Amino acid sequence: MIEEFNTQVAHNLIAIADQFAQQRKVTGVKAFGSGNINDTFLTTIDDSKEQHFVLQRINTQVFRQPKLIMQNMRTFTDHVRKRLQHSPLNRRWEVPRVLLTKDAEDHFQDADGCFWRAISFIEGSQSFDTMGDGSQAQEIGYALGMFHNLISDLPPEKLADTLQGFHITPLYLQHYEEVLAKTRARQSAEVDYCLQFVSDRQGFAHILENAKAEGKLPLRLMHGDPKINNVMFDIATQQAVSVIDLDTVKPGLVHYDIGDCLRSGCNPAGEETENWESVYFDTDLCQGILQGYLSVAKAFLTENDYTYIYDAIRLIAFELGLRFFADYLAGNTYFKVKHPEHNLARAIVQFKLTESIESQEMQIRNIIKDVK
């Protein structure tokens, strides 16, 4: 990741990290994580209490209002910290802290105008790109439920909507149709499959937004990207201890999070597989995640919330496939790609996953009923 930077920025990394180190000495900075959007580095510092912090260069092409993101992050992390002080949990749970610069700012802009921020590192923890077993699935669900529960009493209007239109499936569909009208897709069996797949599900794209408009689903705060690798696990206890990657926290529907968590968690083949026939939605893992989630989330969910859980699982897999396919048609302008067909391949994985979800609808609905 560092080699993509010009050499000047590579030399500057330590100087930038130093802005956030307060009185401590920065001893190293290395590329970290596998995020698709921001550039992330693990900074090592000479300190007996905290050995590391996370340094990030925010992708301002995606997050066009980075100052609002930092304001949001401070608002809800402060809220959660106060709640945990007031009523502590009986297990380890941590919220990343926003670290300030020498000038007490929550970000630093370098000479090139790049936007940098630093957040505390959850020590003694690790994340996973694919789900291990049922107990891990329950912990993933617990983590998302705890995340939602701890911000369920923070009014959504306290946070700015930093990604207008994010997870609004009808808007992605509209964007896709605009791209389609302007581009001539290279004909292939894969492209034809995707075109047909989207065409068959146009009406379904509106299901959650319609429910929101009709007052059936309330506006709450959501994480926005609860992939399983954004849940940190304690290395010793193997329990979930934190949910990270907090840039997309904003007002929305918790159903987008539930759907996204299950979409990423119940696909054992992973998002990057090229073996499309092996993609399936694992209902055992689905049961584990929902058990863990509802054990905490039942404190704030309504009857209508349960009604739309299946639709959320199906919709978010479809939506991500739609986004990957539209980006492929547009010339790969949003998601980082390793080769020109990368987004097409990713889209097919999500569409195959959607098919698997659709083929198991009754079973998934029964799981929701049972764990409720």
Side-chain angles (χ1 to χ4, degrees):
M1 197 188 287
I2 297 184
E3 53 278 0
E4 291 172 16
F5 284 40
N6 60 38
T7 48
Q8 183 193 348
V9 175
H11 290 311
N12 279 351
L13 275 173
I14 289 201
I16 291 164
D18 194 48
Q19 294 291 327
F20 297 95
Q22 300 298 346
Q23 271 60 61
R24 303 164 302 186
K25 181 174 163 44
V26 174
T27 56
V29 181
K30 64 174 186 186
F32 183 63
S34 55
N36 280 340
I37 309 291
N38 298 323
D39 293 315
T40 304
F41 303 90
L42 187 63
T43 303
T44 310
I45 42 178
D46 194 3
D47 183 2
S48 56
K49 285 211 290 289
E50 284 185 296
Q51 279 84 49
H52 306 95
F53 66 81
V54 176
L55 179 71
Q56 282 185 314
R57 180 170 74 159
I58 304 264
N59 181 336
T60 49
Q61 292 295 292
V62 174
F63 300 111
R64 295 184 181 276
Q65 299 170 289
K67 288 181 181 172
L68 277 183
I69 283 179
M70 296 314 296
Q71 187 184 307
N72 277 0
M73 199 181 281
R74 288 172 75 172
T75 300
F76 80 82
T77 54
D78 288 350
H79 174 85
V80 171
R81 211 162 289 115
K82 283 189 187 121
R83 252 194 78 166
L84 289 171
Q85 280 166 355
H86 187 254
S87 40
L89 303 178
N90 57 1
R91 55 181 276 175
R92 181 185 175 196
W93 187 260
E94 290 187 37
V95 188
R97 295 189 325 281
V98 174
L99 306 184
L100 302 182
T101 65
K102 293 169 177 168
D103 303 327
E105 296 285 341
D106 57 24
H107 65 279
F108 173 72
Q109 276 179 287
D110 64 21
D112 300 327
C114 294
F115 193 99
W116 295 86
R117 57 105 183 270
I119 36 188
S120 61
F121 177 66
I122 310 295
E123 297 283 357
S125 70
Q126 67 192 120
S127 66
F128 302 95
D129 283 327
T130 50
M131 191 81 73
D133 55 18
S135 66
Q136 199 179 34
Q138 278 201 335
E139 285 297 309
I140 296 271
Y142 171 90
L144 183 61
M146 184 51 67
F147 181 87
H148 283 163
N149 196 11
L150 289 169
I151 53 176
S152 62
D153 59 339
L154 180 61
E157 58 275 12
K158 288 267 176 83
L159 261 58
D161 189 343
T162 48
L163 280 175
Q164 297 269 329
F166 185 58
H167 275 321
I168 312 284
T169 318
L171 291 181
Y172 291 122
L173 188 61
Q174 190 186 325
H175 169 70
Y176 162 78
E177 284 160 354
E178 287 162 8
V179 169
L180 200 56
K182 291 197 299 245
T183 45
R184 286 185 65 83
R186 202 174 59 73
Q187 290 306 159
S188 70
E190 289 81 11
V191 169
D192 289 345
Y193 165 77
C194 291
L195 290 168
Q196 189 61 50
F197 195 88
V198 177
S199 169
D200 290 344
R201 287 162 184 79
Q202 302 237 330
F204 170 64
H206 300 262
I207 189 156
L208 291 186
E209 284 305 301
N210 286 354
K212 186 171 81 179
E214 291 159 14
K216 292 176 183 169
L217 295 178
L219 192 70
R220 296 189 181 100
L221 288 176
M222 63 175 202
H223 180 279
D225 190 20
K227 298 196 301 284
I228 63 170
N229 60 6
N230 283 333
V231 175
M232 303 304 292
F233 281 79
D234 187 298
I235 290 171
T237 66
Q238 292 302 308
Q239 287 188 317
V241 291
S242 190
V243 178
I244 59 162
D245 204 357
L246 307 172
D247 294 328
T248 47
V249 176
K250 59 171 234 144
L253 298 176
V254 293
H255 289 69
Y256 296 140
D257 279 352
I258 297 168
D260 208 12
C261 183
L262 287 155
R263 175 200 65 73
S264 70
C266 303
N267 167 14
E271 292 179 19
E272 298 290 333
T273 181
E274 302 271 323
N275 180 10
W276 300 314
E277 299 315 312
S278 72
V279 175
Y280 73 101
F281 184 83
D282 187 321
T283 49
D284 290 341
L285 292 176
C286 170
Q287 183 168 4
I289 292 176
L290 283 173
Q291 262 170 341
Y293 180 76
L294 295 172
S295 71
V296 200
K298 61 175 184 282
F300 63 86
L301 290 180
T302 67
E303 195 54 46
N304 273 342
D305 285 324
Y306 290 100
T307 306
Y308 284 94
I309 290 176
Y310 166 76
D311 299 308
I313 300 168
R314 178 186 170 202
L315 184 71
I316 298 301
F318 169 67
E319 176 189 286
L320 185 60
L322 179 67
R323 291 174 64 197
F324 282 139
F325 187 43
D327 200 34
Y328 166 74
L329 295 174
N332 305 316
T333 57
Y334 183 86
F335 297 102
K336 290 179 186 172
V337 291
K338 295 191 173 112
H339 54 87
E341 308 288 298
H342 196 168
N343 276 324
L344 177 61
R346 285 166 165 163
I348 294 171
V349 170
Q350 294 306 318
F351 290 159
K352 291 288 182 192
L353 189 64
T354 308
E355 283 179 358
S356 178
I357 292 165
E358 291 168 348
S359 72
Q360 302 179 88
E361 176 175 354
M362 283 322 295
Q363 200 181 341
I364 295 168
R365 287 191 184 276
N366 285 334
I367 289 169
I368 296 162
K369 209 162 65 204
D370 292 345
V371 298
K372 183 178 149 188

